[in-house]
Amino acid sequence: MLNFLIRRIAAGIATLFVALFLMFLLVDRAIDPLQDLFESTAPNKEQLIAQRIEDLNLDVNVVLRFFEWFGNLLTGDLGVAWRSGRPVSDILVSAFGSTLQLVSAATVLAVVLGVSVGIVSALRQYTSFDYLIIFLSFLLYSLPSFWVAVLLKQWAAIGFNDFLRDPVISWPAIIGVSLLVGLLWSLAIGGSAARRAQVFGVAAAANVALLAYIQLTDWWADPHIGPVLLAVLGAGTAFGVVAVFAGMHNRRALWTALTVVALGTVLYFPLQQLFKSLDVSNLLIVGLAVVCLVVGYVVGRLFGGPDWRLSARTGAAVAFVMGGLTFVDQVMQVWRPYFNALNGRPIPTFGDSTPNLGGNYWVQVLDSATHLVLPTATLVLIAFASYTRYSRSSMLEVMNQDYIRTARAKGLPERLVVVRHGFRNALIPLATVVPIDIIALLGGAIITEAVFARPGMGQMFVRSLTDAEIEPVMAYLLVTASLAILANIIADIVYATIDPRIRLDA
């Protein structure tokens, strides 16, 4: 492993240097810092041109200017944007932070939803659900991102903000949506006609109950989760995780998950006081998330058994979900003042924060979340289509392999065949695709950021090119090229982790 990392890092540094050199030459040819002065009608035009040439060292050979820039880079100096006078490092940090927020949310949602739906679609090959997912995937994949973004601004933001003036869902709408949800679940679960009818009834009834609860409790005006809903959602998560990854026959895993749900519900009340008494920060939240994972893992370990590692992983997963629901509940508690501060229109259509908003940590988190809703939804809808197609085709290929037929011939339950033998091997192609997609997005979703006026990496790159500022452009290229090299190294490591047949030190 160490030899592999040394070789790849050394090759990556050499590749990065060559790429930066070539890009410096190309960018220098593409931009003209003197263009605005050539078009100027100022009487001292020649003097201004001479002064700018001297300030920007434009009379020096471009190769020498590159090595001067590269030498400053080695000392940590990224230069100054000459039009604004701002240090490039400050511009880069601000833009990268905005893009990182967007990419983190969009990638996690797209991968989880896309892979899950793609796997189910593969397992239901040639059924109505499979055909529906294929049609939806190709439809979303063919849509231009700017068109999706504009539609979301119109219907998901403006429409939802208008809905909040009088948030009433009619009973015919509740019943219609619930019947559609029940139909989708029955198609996804499959099975005999009796089983599909049972799933349809349970899913439709659960959806009616949820929407009725939201409507009757005026949830739109005062959204919250609370201990009761936390326990219900946690129990549903526990049964779901155990059913998929351990099997309902594994009582130790089931009791581990339910114990974690009970602990999370009991700890809900002291956590409320803790959040009120402490100065909450991102570091504290990350620390509490780690504690959640450790507690869940320890609970599974205490239940013991020959397969205690499975119980421990189950407990950690359920604990993480319980912690996430508690965090979301705390953010929801500041909805009312945030709603009033934005004059009843809480879903913004541009920017990454509300100017001069103020408020505590939870208000800032809610503000960042509402600004992420539309651009994240745009990227998720497009990426969802790709990940669904990747995971479906990969799972179909895996399920036709000889070792899958052997596992079934040995009498293993279908859940074990799918989860332990099929799912893990189906992730191998995605291990190459996902890291590279993440880096591509970190370079800036230029169109999405432009539509939503989000000051991310993409907008920084376009603006710097327009202003003929080579230092910010090179800083952008430095980050994206470095991350691209890093993504390929990570992809190889993940690939070897998933598939033990691959040796990095070979």
Side-chain angles (χ1 to χ4, degrees):
M1 172 70 80
L2 182 60
N3 291 333
F4 167 80
L5 289 177
I6 293 175
R7 292 197 309 268
R8 289 301 301 269
I9 291 174
I13 292 175
T15 303
L16 179 63
F17 177 81
V18 174
L20 290 177
F21 177 71
L22 295 176
M23 291 308 301
F24 194 94
L25 300 182
L26 293 174
V27 173
D28 182 73
R29 293 282 295 177
I31 64 176
D32 186 3
L34 304 176
Q35 182 177 359
D36 59 326
L37 293 181
F38 287 140
E39 298 172 354
S40 173
T41 59
N44 59 339
K45 174 179 173 179
E46 298 299 329
Q47 181 181 356
L48 293 174
I49 292 175
Q51 183 63 46
R52 184 172 295 181
I53 290 175
E54 180 181 353
D55 293 340
L56 302 181
N57 292 331
L58 298 180
D59 54 344
V60 178
N61 183 271
V62 62
V63 176
L64 296 178
R65 278 192 282 125
F66 166 77
F67 281 102
E68 180 183 358
W69 173 83
F70 190 76
N72 292 333
L73 172 66
L74 295 179
T75 64
D77 182 12
L78 293 176
V80 176
W82 61 269
R83 288 193 186 273
S84 63
R86 291 182 60 193
V88 173
S89 57
D90 294 347
I91 300 174
L92 183 63
V93 169
S94 176
F96 188 78
S98 179
T99 296
L100 185 61
Q101 286 182 340
L102 177 59
V103 169
S104 300
T107 302
V108 171
L109 290 174
V111 170
V112 172
L113 293 176
V115 171
S116 301
V117 173
I119 296 296
V120 175
S121 180
L123 297 176
R124 300 288 176 265
Q125 187 181 19
Y126 302 137
T127 63
S128 300
F129 181 79
D130 186 33
Y131 291 131
L132 177 63
I133 295 303
I134 292 174
F135 169 77
L136 184 62
S137 298
F138 279 102
L139 176 64
L140 292 175
Y141 191 75
S142 63
L143 295 179
S145 58
F146 68 86
W147 188 72
V148 174
V150 171
L151 287 183
L152 286 176
K153 289 180 73 170
Q154 176 64 39
W155 300 107
I158 298 175
F160 183 71
N161 286 333
D162 292 339
F163 165 77
L164 290 178
R165 295 176 182 174
D166 185 20
V168 176
I169 306 176
S170 64
W171 284 103
I174 291 177
I175 294 174
V177 170
S178 300
L179 292 177
L180 180 61
V181 170
L183 178 62
L184 290 176
W185 274 107
S186 65
L187 293 176
I189 299 299
S192 63
R195 184 184 183 187
R196 291 198 302 269
Q198 182 182 15
V199 171
F200 174 84
V202 172
N207 200 74
V208 167
L210 176 62
L211 293 179
Y213 171 81
I214 291 175
Q215 186 64 43
L216 297 176
T217 59
D218 197 23
W219 191 87
W220 296 111
D222 185 22
H224 60 281
I225 294 179
V228 176
L229 196 56
L230 177 66
V232 172
L233 294 175
T237 301
F239 283 110
V241 171
V242 172
V244 173
F245 295 103
M248 297 303 293
H249 64 278
N250 191 328
R251 297 302 179 185
R252 294 180 187 273
L254 180 60
W255 284 113
T256 296
L258 293 178
T259 301
V260 170
V261 172
L263 282 174
T265 305
V266 171
L267 292 174
Y268 172 84
F269 298 99
L271 282 175
Q272 302 303 304
Q273 300 301 321
L274 177 68
F275 289 140
K276 291 178 181 178
S277 60
L278 293 180
D279 184 15
V280 183
S281 63
N282 288 328
L283 184 61
L284 174 64
I285 297 301
V286 172
L288 290 175
V290 173
V291 171
C292 283
L293 293 173
V294 172
V295 169
Y297 192 89
V298 169
V299 170
R301 181 67 183 90
L302 292 176
F303 272 96
D307 200 8
W308 64 267
R309 289 183 177 83
L310 179 59
S311 298
R313 291 195 296 268
T314 301
V318 175
F320 186 78
V321 172
M322 292 293 291
L325 290 173
T326 304
F327 177 82
V328 171
D329 175 78
Q330 193 66 31
V331 174
M332 285 180 172
Q333 293 181 22
V334 298
W335 174 265
R336 174 69 72 175
Y338 180 77
F339 181 84
N340 294 332
L342 272 67
N343 299 318
R345 305 192 69 80
I347 306 299
T349 58
F350 62 91
D352 62 352
S353 62
T354 302
N356 304 318
L357 177 64
N360 59 13
Y361 172 82
W362 303 108
V363 173
Q364 297 301 319
V365 170
L366 179 59
D367 184 55
S368 296
T370 55
H371 281 83
L372 282 171
V373 168
L374 297 182
T376 297
T378 302
L379 296 178
V380 166
L381 288 175
I382 305 299
F384 167 83
S386 299
Y387 292 137
T388 300
R389 291 165 58 241
Y390 281 130
S391 57
R392 179 184 180 276
S393 61
S394 179
M395 191 67 176
L396 286 176
E397 182 179 358
V398 167
M399 295 304 288
N400 289 321
Q401 297 296 318
D402 290 339
Y403 60 84
I404 295 295
R405 286 191 286 269
T406 302
R408 285 174 172 156
K410 289 165 59 179
L412 291 179
E414 186 66 16
R415 182 193 59 80
L416 285 180
V417 173
V418 172
V419 175
R420 293 196 178 183
H421 295 276
F423 178 69
R424 180 171 180 174
N425 288 283
L427 292 179
I428 293 176
L430 290 172
T432 303
V433 174
V434 173
I436 297 176
D437 282 354
I438 293 175
I439 300 309
L441 285 177
L442 282 172
I446 295 177
I447 296 176
T448 303
E449 290 178 357
V451 173
F452 295 107
R454 192 172 179 87
M457 291 286 286
Q459 288 306 293
M460 167 190 163
F461 176 70
V462 173
R463 184 175 60 253
S464 299
L465 278 180
T466 303
D467 293 341
E469 296 176 317
I470 194 170
E471 283 83 3
V473 174
M474 291 306 300
Y476 168 87
L477 296 172
L478 170 67
V479 171
T480 53
S482 301
L483 290 176
I485 294 170
L486 180 62
N488 281 277
I489 298 176
I490 293 175
D492 288 339
I493 295 174
V494 173
Y495 208 96
T497 303
I498 295 176
D499 190 349
R501 296 171 298 179
I502 299 174
R503 296 176 54 199
L504 296 177
D505 56 351

